């Protein structure tokens, strides 16, 4: 606005229009126009207040709709764990095993109360490739044995004699080995040493049991063995890389770690191997570790006690233990493949163009790694692939294992090297998959998994049993009681919320504030005023009143298919004035559930026999809806009532739920397409038109006063001129 002054005249320009608002008339034109416009703005203020009132009312409706949605998704959604419209909520069973360590059990809604007996003779396993020391024959085997022919096999220092008299082929040789190793003062057990033949007919013996630390198939020329001892672990024994000397100072020590416990060996006075052994025994305990020399004269350390697992030694150059030797009998998976070469018992070899790669295929999935990759990265890549296997390293038993993710006989696991020998050297022992074998209630069953589901009861087979395990199945009454109590509590809470909105008193003295009123108030005062103004916006609302009435009446219509009623369950309704809130006698409810669980389930979950396949009653005609309603249980009736008010699926008339059509829902197409939004759009248009009219009225007032000032100023000038000429 530009303003200029001359004498008693003030000229201003607003929006290109010149106004004379001087005091020739003695009138404060701006104040007069402001007063006139204040009266003119009464209609616009009312329109603004109506718009804000509609916004508040829409917000109030949506808050109620949110409460309804929360209740519906919690108790009326067939996917919800707390739903009262699905049968599993009411038919819940629990299974109890006499020994969970052997067989654990759980029951579904399809179970029946009763008792069962089980025994397990064999667990299901997956096919496995694992690391194991292998004794390889130097020539092909022949089976021309006579009476008295034997073969000596040593397992962890204990000798077993294999009777070869009846051995005529590979299968009978395996039987003879199993028979021998499962006898004597210490029985190894059947299948613990496995013998196979390669493509040239040369025998290969491997330790199929993780508990075997070492074994020696004795010399047997007919079978092609030369009597070489084999360590079953994947990692080499601890060994030095130089010839030891025994010139120690009085302060010289040597650190050893045995199964996580660090010990210090006092080397003072140690002058030979025997004295070193004594010093080690003093530090870690007698009979735990054995120190010896290998064919190169270097020191080696092994576990002399089968209970000792992980061993690590510190560098001790005088004893010949340096970084170039093997200082631990366990792998560190964070080390690279090239760093592990010196530690691995079957020699790891690389291939490829640069001779620094390993490549292999597992179940048709190809993998390639180079010498700089760690064992961890190799395992992670395999486990995340589509090969459907899991590779792991067992630090206790020092084994690498590749296990199929599927258990049961008939499953296959194929793994083949394409560069290097990772598979053939580190996963050289194959253990076939097997089925679970059990007897349930006297009937023998064979399953590919250790999880066996029969007639609604799932049995988890944990161990082979030596006697029968009993499993009892009974109805879980308390879970059903809890489900109904929670539903009733939530129902009463919802009734309280909606009823509270209906009974709030609306104070018409607290209307939405105009812009002018807000300018004279503080923010705190405005907030307090609007909080009061929003109370009672849904007072006696017909939609919400009808909603509560329909819920209450849903309990009054008998449910076909059962003689039970709400009262029979110990659930009673309060007065009409309280909108039918419910109270529960839990003792009565519990008793009815125990005596008639199917009836209780029917009372809540029954679907219409005529129109139960229709997802929502809103898709049916009025007559069809009535039929469906009368055939339904309480839960399904509630579902239809809620859908009638907050459903977002359009019915045959193209409309959504009543509250959705009225006020819309956030994050739905109805957010801007509803009755209140349409009314607000109309009001906005009226407000815009009224603002244009007021602008025109204000311009007219200023034009009139400008003309008046111009005329008065001209008259004043003429009078002044006349007065001057008369004098």
């Amino acid at each position: 606005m530009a303003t200029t002054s001359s004498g008693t005249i003030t000229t201003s320009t607003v929006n290109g229009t010149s106004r004379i608002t001087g005091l020739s008339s003695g009138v404060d034109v701006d104040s007069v126009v402001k007063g006139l416009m204040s009266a003119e703005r009464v209609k616009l203020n009312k329109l603004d207040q109506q718009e804000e009132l509609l916004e508040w009312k829409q917000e109030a409706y949506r808050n109620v709709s949110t409460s309804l949605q929360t209740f519906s998704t919690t108790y009326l959604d067939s996917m919800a764990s707390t739903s009262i419209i699905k049968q599993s909520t009411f038919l819940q069973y629990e299974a109890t095993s006499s020994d969970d360590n052997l067989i654990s059990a759980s029951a579904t809604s399809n179970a029946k109360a009763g008792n069962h007996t089980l025994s397990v003779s064999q667990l299901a396993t997956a096919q496995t490739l694992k690391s194991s020391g292998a004794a390889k024959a130097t020539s092909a085997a022949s089976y021309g044995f006579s009476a008295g022919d034997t073969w000596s096999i040593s397992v962890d220092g204990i000798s077993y004699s294999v009777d070869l008299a009846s051995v005529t082929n590979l299968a009978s040789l395996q039987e003879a080995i199993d028979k021998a190793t499962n006898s004597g003062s210490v029985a190894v057990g059947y299948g613990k040493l496995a013998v196979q033949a390669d493509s040239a007919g040369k025998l290969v013996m491997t330790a199929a049991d993780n508990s075997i630390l070492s074994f020696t198939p004795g010399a047997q020329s007919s079978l092609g063995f030369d009597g070489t001892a084999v360590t079953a672990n994947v990692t080499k024994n601890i060994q030095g890389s130089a010839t030891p000397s025994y010139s120690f100072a009085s302060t010289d020590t040597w650190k050893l770690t045995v199964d996580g416990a660090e010990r210090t060996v006092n080397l003072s006075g140690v002058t030979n191997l025997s004295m070193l052994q004594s010093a080690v025994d003093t530090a870690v305990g007698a009979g735990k570790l054995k120190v010896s020399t290998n064919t190169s004269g270097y020191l080696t350390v092994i576990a002399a006690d089968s209970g000792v697992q992980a061993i690590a030694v510190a560098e001790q150059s005088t004893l010949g233990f340096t970084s170039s030797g093997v200082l631990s009998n366990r792998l560190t998976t964070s080390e690279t493949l090239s760093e592990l070469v010196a530690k691995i018992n079957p020699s790891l070899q690389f291939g490829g163009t640069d001779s620094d790669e390993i490549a292999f295929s597992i179940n048709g999935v190809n993998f390639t790694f180079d010498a700089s990759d760690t064992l961890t990265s190799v395992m992670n890549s395999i486990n995340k692939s589509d090969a459907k296997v899991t590779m792991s390293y067992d630090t206790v038993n020092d084994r690498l294992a590749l296990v199929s993710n599927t258990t049961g006989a008939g499953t296959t696991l194929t793994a083949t090297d394409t560069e290097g020998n990772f598979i053939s050297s580190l996963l050289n022992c194959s253990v076939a998959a097997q089925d679970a074998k059990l007897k349930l209630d006297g009937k023998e069953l064979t399953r590919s998994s250790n999880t066996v589901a029969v007639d609604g009861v799932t049995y988890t087979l944990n161990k082979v049993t030596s006697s029968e395990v009993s499993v009892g199945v009974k109805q879980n009454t308390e879970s059903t009681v809890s489900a109904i109590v929670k539903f009733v509590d939530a129902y009463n809470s919802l009734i309280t919320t909606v009823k509270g909105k209906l009974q709030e008193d609306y104070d018409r003295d607290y209307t939405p504030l105009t812009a002018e009123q807000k300018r004279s108030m503080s923010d705190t005062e405005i907030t307090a005023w609007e909080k009061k103004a929003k109370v009672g916006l849904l007072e006696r609302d017909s939609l919400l009143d009808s909603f509560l009435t329909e819920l209450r009446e849903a309990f009054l219509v008998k449910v076909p298919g059962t003689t039970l009623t709400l009262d029979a369950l110990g659930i009673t309704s309060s007065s009409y004035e309280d909108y039918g809130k419910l109270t529960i006698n839990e003792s009565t409810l519990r008793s009815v559930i125990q005596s008639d669980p199917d009836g209780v389930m029917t009372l809540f979950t029954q679907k219409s026999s005529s129109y139960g396949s229709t997802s929502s009653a809103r898709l049916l005609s009025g007559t069809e809806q009535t039929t469906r309603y009368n055939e339904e249980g309480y839960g399904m009736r509630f579902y239809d009532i809620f859908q009638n008010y907050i459903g977002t699926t359009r019915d045959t008339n193209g409309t959504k739920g009543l509250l959705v059509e009225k006020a819309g829902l956030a994050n739905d197409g109805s957010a801007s397409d509803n009755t209140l939004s349409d009314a607000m759009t109309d009001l906005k248009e009226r407000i815009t038109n009224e603002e244009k009219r007021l602008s025109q009225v204000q311009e007219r007032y200023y034009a009139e006063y400008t003309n008046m000032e111009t005329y008065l100023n001209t008259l004043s000038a003429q009078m002044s001129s006349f007065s001057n000429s008369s004098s």
Side-chain angles (χ1 to χ4, degrees):
M1 180 180 71
T3 303
T4 59
S5 299
S6 177
T8 59
I9 300 175
T10 299
T11 302
S12 61
T13 301
V14 180
N15 296 331
T17 302
S18 296
R19 298 172 178 172
I20 299 176
T21 57
L23 299 178
S24 295
S25 62
V27 177
D28 184 350
V29 176
D30 283 332
S31 296
V32 171
V33 172
K34 182 177 181 181
L36 292 171
M37 291 305 299
S38 179
E40 291 283 352
R41 288 188 63 86
V42 171
K43 181 178 180 181
L44 179 62
N45 287 339
K46 288 183 177 180
L47 291 174
D48 285 336
Q49 288 174 314
Q50 290 177 31
E51 182 186 19
E52 188 160 20
L53 200 60
L54 286 178
E55 289 178 352
W56 289 351
K57 198 164 188 177
Q58 185 179 61
E59 180 184 10
Y61 272 121
R62 290 186 178 183
N63 287 339
V64 172
S65 293
T66 297
S67 297
L68 267 61
Q69 283 181 312
T70 300
F71 182 92
S72 181
T73 55
T74 304
Y75 298 100
L76 305 176
D77 186 336
S78 60
M79 300 302 292
S81 61
T82 51
S83 174
I84 63 155
I85 69 171
K86 65 179 184 179
Q87 295 184 353
S88 60
T89 300
F90 297 89
L91 295 182
Q92 298 191 49
Y93 292 87
E94 57 183 350
T96 305
S97 170
S98 61
D99 193 335
D100 283 331
N101 291 324
L102 298 176
I103 300 173
S104 55
S106 61
T108 69
S109 59
N110 295 321
K112 297 295 181 183
N115 296 302
H116 305 279
T117 57
L118 292 90
S119 60
V120 180
S121 58
Q122 180 174 289
L123 292 176
T125 60
Q127 184 174 357
T128 303
L129 296 179
K130 62 182 181 179
S131 57
S132 177
K136 299 181 180 180
T138 57
S139 60
S142 62
Y143 299 100
F145 297 108
S146 303
D149 286 344
T150 61
W151 182 25
S152 177
I153 297 178
S154 174
V155 181
D156 291 336
I158 299 175
S159 182
Y160 301 89
S161 179
V162 180
D163 184 357
L164 300 176
S166 301
V167 172
T168 58
N169 53 32
L170 184 62
S172 57
L173 176 61
Q174 181 68 68
E175 290 178 5
I177 293 172
D178 289 341
K179 183 177 180 180
T181 56
N182 196 44
S183 62
S185 58
V186 179
V188 175
Y190 289 99
K192 300 303 177 68
L193 285 178
V195 62
Q196 297 171 307
D198 63 16
S199 58
K202 297 178 182 179
L203 296 181
V204 179
M205 178 177 284
T206 56
D209 191 313
N210 284 340
S211 65
I212 295 176
L213 300 178
S214 63
F215 63 95
T216 305
Q220 226 300 336
S221 58
S222 294
L223 296 176
F225 284 99
D226 60 6
T228 303
V230 180
T231 301
N233 295 46
V234 68
T235 312
K236 290 179 180 178
N237 289 325
I238 296 172
Q239 59 185 37
S241 56
T243 303
S245 65
Y246 296 97
S247 54
F248 297 108
S250 61
T251 57
D252 284 345
T253 59
W254 183 30
K255 297 286 187 182
L256 294 91
T257 302
V258 180
D259 291 328
E262 186 180 87
R263 296 289 185 263
T264 300
V265 179
N266 182 3
L267 297 176
S268 176
V270 172
T271 59
N272 55 42
L273 179 62
S274 176
M275 296 180 71
L276 177 61
Q277 180 69 64
S278 297
V280 170
D281 288 344
T282 300
V284 303
K288 288 186 176 181
L289 303 181
K290 180 180 180 181
V291 184
S292 59
T293 56
N294 61 18
T295 56
S296 299
Y298 304 153
L299 289 177
T300 64
V301 179
I302 63 171
D305 184 337
S306 60
V308 174
Q309 306 297 331
I311 309 168
V313 303
E315 291 185 36
Q316 226 299 339
S317 57
T318 304
L319 292 175
F321 289 102
T322 66
S323 58
S324 60
V326 179
L327 304 181
S328 173
N329 71 339
R330 290 295 184 269
L331 298 182
T332 302
T333 59
S334 60
E335 290 181 303
T336 64
L337 295 177
S338 61
E339 291 171 330
L340 295 177
V341 169
K343 299 182 177 182
I344 294 175
N345 183 32
S347 179
L348 177 63
Q349 298 174 0
F350 295 97
T353 304
D354 298 324
S355 296
D356 64 351
E357 289 184 346
I358 58 171
F360 47 83
S361 173
I362 301 175
N363 289 340
V365 180
N366 297 320
F367 300 91
T368 301
F369 303 96
D370 60 38
S372 62
D373 287 316
T374 64
L375 183 56
T376 295
S377 66
V378 172
M379 293 191 295
N380 287 343
S381 296
I382 292 172
N383 296 342
K384 292 177 181 178
S385 73
D386 295 328
K388 298 179 181 179
V389 294
T390 300
M391 186 177 183
S392 61
Y393 173 63
D394 178 359
T395 57
V396 173
N397 295 299
D398 188 31
R399 299 286 194 276
L400 278 172
L402 186 68
V403 183
S404 172
N405 292 343
T406 304
T407 60
T411 59
T412 58
L413 190 167
T414 59
T416 306
D417 288 308
T418 53
E419 297 288 351
N421 66 343
F422 185 84
I423 298 296
S424 60
S425 66
L426 298 184
L427 299 167
N428 55 11
C429 178
S430 177
V431 180
Q434 64 182 24
D435 289 327
K437 294 184 180 297
L438 65 150
K439 185 178 290 186
L440 173 62
D441 295 334
K443 183 178 181 179
E444 293 186 353
L445 302 177
T446 300
R447 294 291 186 269
S448 61
S449 170
N450 290 316
T451 301
V452 180
V454 179
D455 295 334
V457 182
T458 298
Y459 306 94
T460 301
L461 315 181
N462 300 317
K463 294 180 180 179
V464 170
T465 64
S466 58
S467 60
E468 287 187 337
V469 174
S470 61
V471 173
V473 181
K474 65 178 182 178
Q475 183 186 356
N476 190 341
T477 302
E478 293 308 311
S479 63
T480 306
V481 171
S482 176
I484 294 176
V485 169
K486 288 179 180 178
F487 164 74
V488 170
D489 288 345
Y491 169 79
N492 288 339
S493 178
L494 182 66
I495 296 300
T496 299
T497 297
V498 179
K499 184 187 70 172
K501 296 300 178 182
L502 289 172
Q503 294 181 338
E504 283 180 349
D505 292 326
Y506 179 63
D507 193 338
R508 298 184 182 280
D509 291 335
Y510 283 84
T511 58
L513 297 169
T514 65
E516 185 175 353
Q517 288 173 325
K518 288 181 178 179
R519 283 193 289 270
S520 64
M521 300 170 68
S522 67
D523 290 343
T524 302
E525 290 172 330
I526 293 171
T527 299
W529 180 282
E530 291 186 344
K531 181 178 180 180
K532 178 66 176 176
K534 292 179 180 180
V535 173
L537 293 177
L538 301 180
E539 181 185 11
R540 299 178 183 176
D541 182 82
S542 60
L543 269 182
L544 298 185
D545 187 73
S546 296
F547 170 72
L548 292 184
T549 299
E550 289 182 40
L551 291 185
R552 184 171 61 253
E553 291 178 347
F555 291 122
L556 302 179
V557 179
K558 180 177 173 56
V559 176
T562 178
T563 59
L564 293 178
T565 63
L566 203 63
D567 285 345
L569 297 186
I571 303 175
T572 56
S573 176
S574 58
S575 65
Y576 177 86
E577 290 76 13
D578 208 17
Y579 286 90
K581 291 175 66 175
L582 303 175
T583 57
I584 299 181
N585 183 320
E586 289 192 27
S587 178
T588 301
L589 176 62
R590 184 175 291 104
S591 177
V592 175
I593 291 172
Q594 290 173 340
S595 62
D596 189 5
D598 290 337
V600 176
M601 177 189 71
T602 298
L603 199 61
F604 285 92
T605 67
Q606 180 162 282
K607 291 184 178 182
S608 166
S609 58
S610 302
Y611 303 104
S613 61
T614 305
S615 60
S616 174
R618 301 180 66 252
L619 301 176
L620 303 173
S621 67
T623 302
E624 292 170 337
Q625 287 185 27
T626 300
T627 300
R628 170 170 163 136
Y629 181 89
N630 290 330
E631 294 176 349
E632 290 179 322
Y634 297 143
M636 292 305 302
R637 288 175 187 170
F638 265 44
Y639 172 80
D640 286 345
I641 292 170
F642 273 75
Q643 287 301 303
N644 191 42
Y645 283 86
I646 59 171
T648 56
T649 300
R650 297 189 183 277
D651 62 15
T652 54
N653 297 318
T655 59
K656 298 185 178 183
L658 296 173
L659 288 173
V660 178
E661 290 289 329
K662 181 73 174 181
L665 295 172
N667 302 318
D668 182 69
S670 63
S672 58
D673 183 13
N674 56 80
T675 301
L676 292 180
S677 290
D678 291 345
M680 283 186 277
T681 299
D682 292 340
L683 274 174
K684 290 181 187 296
E685 185 175 350
R686 292 173 61 188
I687 289 170
T688 298
N689 292 336
E690 182 62 15
E691 288 174 339
K692 290 179 180 178
R693 186 189 72 80
L694 290 177
S695 179
Q696 293 171 352
V697 170
Q698 180 173 277
E699 288 304 316
R700 189 180 75 246
Y701 282 146
Y702 272 112
E704 290 172 351
Y705 279 100
T706 295
N707 290 337
M708 182 188 73
E709 290 291 340
T710 300
Y711 293 146
L712 289 176
N713 188 59
T714 300
L715 180 60
S716 176
Q718 290 175 346
M719 291 295 291
S720 178
S721 175
F722 178 76
S723 175
N724 290 336
S725 62
S726 298
S727 61

